[in-house]
Amino acid sequence: MFRVIVFLALWTCTIGHTPKEYLEDYCGKTLYHQGPWLRLKLTRRDYPSNFKCNTSVVFSDTNSGQPARLVVVVHKLETKCPGDRLTLVDGNTSVLLKEAKPYLCGKHEPKDAMFTVSSSLIVNFQSDASENDDGFELYITRFHLGICDPTEFRCARGPCIDKSLQCDDHDQCGDESDECSWGFGLVAALLGATCLGSLLTILVFCCCCSKFRSRCSKSNSRGRIIPVFRRSETNRTPALDEPKKAPLEVPLSVSHLEQTHPAFYSLSPPAYTAIPDVTSGNQSGGPLPTKTPMQ
């Protein structure tokens, strides 16, 4: 049972999870990505003051061989406004994306997704000298507007994305059309509740069993005196290096028995003799004999 709980916990924590890339690792560089989508976060911790970073993100073509385009969804935005600026530009045309004009800041994500006309995107961010914040996280997904093949899924707005992104608890289409009513979050919550309930049931059962055993042992030993025996020297197991003692020989002669077990009387009991009694008589008219101890 414990192994099943551990397996479900690991499966809940790992399924649908995609490793993140951090913009701070690619400042002034180009990030080439081969997968169907990318989670791009600004920094691992709060971004520093006067932070500037410019990165190009380039995706490979789709599996069907058609030219790829990118759909960008701002999943989280926690910056200061005014002062901090997030700019998203098409990599080929250098045109700002429609929903990102002139820049993004604050704590309100754009409601609609943004689309590029090429497979590259330029991400630029700069902060001021004020307090730091958490930053942002982008969902960048590769798509095309042609005919979807069996390994792809068509969003409600028309883009074809990889079918593996369907029902993974991440909105890659930008309109949540790739998500299911029974998404990963609900399934994970149900599995977590089931595992927690099973664990609590096992703990309660073990506690009840231990209490029941302790009560039974107390009731069985009540009113009884359990002697504590001391192991004698004859029952003691000798050590390996201890020499063996010869058995004690006890003489069984008569004199030895008389010395060890004396008689209760040291002398023999007194003898009795018949002495005539003058106060009593027999049928013949004479005195009856009586027994008196000898002096």
Side-chain angles (χ1 to χ4, degrees):
M1 184 65 184
F2 177 74
R3 293 182 179 179
V4 175
I5 294 175
V6 172
F7 172 77
L8 291 176
L10 293 176
W11 181 82
T12 303
C13 295
T14 57
I15 188 172
H17 175 72
T18 302
K20 297 179 182 179
E21 296 288 350
Y22 296 92
L23 192 69
E24 62 179 351
D25 297 336
Y26 298 94
C27 292
K29 303 177 183 179
T30 301
L31 171 60
Y32 294 96
H33 192 70
Q34 300 291 332
W37 79 298
L38 171 67
R39 296 177 65 181
L40 184 63
K41 197 175 186 301
L42 178 58
T43 55
R44 292 176 174 81
R45 301 178 180 84
D46 294 347
Y47 58 87
S49 303
N50 298 320
F51 179 71
K52 296 181 179 181
C53 187
N54 188 80
T55 302
S56 297
V57 181
V58 179
F59 274 71
S60 61
D61 291 338
T62 60
N63 296 333
S64 60
Q66 298 190 25
R69 296 175 59 183
L70 303 179
V71 53
V72 183
V73 177
V74 182
H75 174 65
K76 182 177 67 175
L77 182 64
E78 295 183 4
T79 59
K80 295 177 295 297
C81 194
D84 300 340
R85 295 187 177 187
L86 171 61
T87 307
L88 302 175
V89 181
D90 188 284
N92 284 2
T93 61
S94 299
V95 177
L96 291 172
L97 301 187
K98 182 179 180 181
E99 299 294 333
K101 293 181 180 180
Y103 56 85
L104 297 174
C105 67
K107 299 183 182 297
H108 299 284
E109 300 85 3
K111 295 181 180 180
D112 298 329
M114 296 166 280
F115 299 90
T116 65
V117 297
S118 63
S119 60
S120 62
L121 174 71
I122 298 176
V123 182
N124 182 273
F125 179 79
Q126 58 182 2
S127 63
D128 58 8
S130 59
E131 296 180 358
N132 306 331
D133 214 326
D134 193 26
F136 60 86
E137 184 175 351
L138 305 178
Y139 289 174
I140 308 173
T141 308
R142 180 183 62 191
F143 78 95
H144 68 86
L145 294 176
I147 299 175
C148 298
D149 60 17
T151 62
E152 294 176 336
F153 170 80
R154 185 177 293 277
C155 299
R157 296 180 180 179
C160 294
I161 64 174
D162 196 276
K163 198 170 185 178
S164 62
L165 305 179
Q166 188 178 8
C167 301
D168 64 345
D169 201 40
H170 298 294
D171 181 21
Q172 286 92 354
C173 287
D175 55 6
E176 296 185 354
S177 59
D178 59 322
E179 297 308 310
C180 303
S181 57
W182 284 73
F184 168 74
L186 183 59
V187 174
L190 292 175
L191 287 175
T194 304
C195 295
L196 182 60
S198 302
L199 183 60
L200 291 177
T201 303
I202 294 173
L203 292 177
V204 171
F205 180 76
C206 294
C207 293
C208 293
C209 289
S210 62
K211 290 183 179 180
F212 179 76
R213 290 181 180 178
S214 61
R215 289 180 180 178
C216 290
S217 61
K218 289 181 180 179
S219 61
N220 292 335
S221 61
R222 187 175 299 171
R224 296 173 57 189
I225 300 176
I226 302 176
V228 179
F229 295 97
R230 182 178 179 182
R231 298 183 64 183
S232 61
E233 292 293 332
T234 58
N235 295 331
R236 185 177 60 86
T237 303
L240 296 178
D241 55 348
E242 182 178 355
K244 296 184 178 180
K245 296 181 180 181
L248 181 62
E249 296 182 358
V250 179
L252 299 178
S253 59
V254 177
S255 60
H256 177 77
L257 293 176
E258 292 178 354
Q259 293 177 3
T260 55
H261 300 283
F264 182 78
Y265 293 99
S266 59
L267 299 176
S268 60
Y272 290 88
T273 57
I275 301 176
D277 189 2
V278 295
T279 61
S280 60
N282 54 7
Q283 294 179 358
S284 59
L288 296 175
T290 59
K291 296 181 179 180
T292 56
M294 294 179 64
Q295 297 298 328

